[in-house]
Amino acid sequence: MLLGDQGIWISDRKELLQMDRIIAFLKGSYWAKNRPAELIRTSIDNSICFGVYDGDVQIGFARVVTDLVTMYYMCDVIIDETYRGRGLGKQLVEAVTNDERFGHLHGILVTADAHGLYEQYGFVRDPDRTLRKKRSQ
């Protein structure tokens, strides 16, 4: 999907993902900075992934974990720092939430800082109903 006339586009084709760039993006994030590269690779193998590209360079990423029947969990949404502030994160979230595979499913995500962004796409804060179990080390 082409985003305007800037040469920036989004794809869910895994063969286009640039693993080194994704690992670098996630290592620079607050939520995945300690995630080993091998876990990142395996999580991508087992998820539906979206890349944002400027020409042939990957500049953004989002990952979706789903059973394709009842729910999806959108995670690892990130845009390269040099491209932030241009609405690309919004376009990435819109691409995921408008994907026909997820339209009839219950969507879940966890964020510490981007509530306003996700609320624009129908997500609501639900602090009274969410429980979380941390994985063991």
Side-chain angles (χ1 to χ4, degrees):
M1 160 192 335
L2 189 62
L3 305 178
D5 57 359
Q6 309 168 33
I8 296 176
W9 52 285
I10 296 175
S11 175
D12 65 352
R13 292 177 45 205
K14 274 193 186 175
E15 67 270 17
L16 299 176
L17 295 174
Q18 298 169 7
M19 202 62 65
D20 291 343
R21 291 194 54 84
I22 295 168
I23 291 168
F25 295 155
L26 294 177
K27 291 289 187 180
S29 72
Y30 69 84
W31 67 89
K33 63 184 174 192
N34 296 318
R35 192 180 300 167
E38 190 53 39
L39 284 183
I40 293 171
R41 286 184 187 93
T42 303
S43 70
I44 289 169
D45 288 344
N46 292 299
S47 302
I48 297 172
C49 299
F50 293 76
V52 181
Y53 303 89
D54 184 357
D56 61 355
V57 176
Q58 187 166 357
I59 59 168
F61 177 72
R63 189 166 64 85
V64 178
V65 180
T66 182
D67 61 9
L68 294 171
V69 178
T70 60
M71 58 77 61
Y72 70 92
Y73 168 51
M74 182 169 46
C75 53
D76 293 339
V77 178
I78 194 161
I79 299 293
D80 184 305
E81 286 184 20
T82 60
Y83 286 84
R84 292 182 189 164
R86 299 162 128 189
L88 298 174
K90 289 179 182 181
Q91 291 175 307
L92 177 56
V93 171
E94 186 173 328
V96 172
T97 57
N98 286 337
D99 189 291
E100 63 185 22
R101 293 170 288 187
F102 314 133
H104 63 287
L105 307 180
H106 178 76
I108 301 168
L109 66 88
V110 177
T111 186
D113 61 357
H115 298 91
L117 166 66
Y118 297 111
E119 288 170 341
Q120 293 175 47
Y121 297 94
F123 289 91
V124 294
R125 298 178 200 205
D126 192 6
D128 296 332
R129 296 180 53 171
T130 304
L131 300 172
R132 184 173 89 172
K133 180 181 182 304
K134 293 185 179 183
R135 67 183 180 99
S136 60
Q137 298 297 333

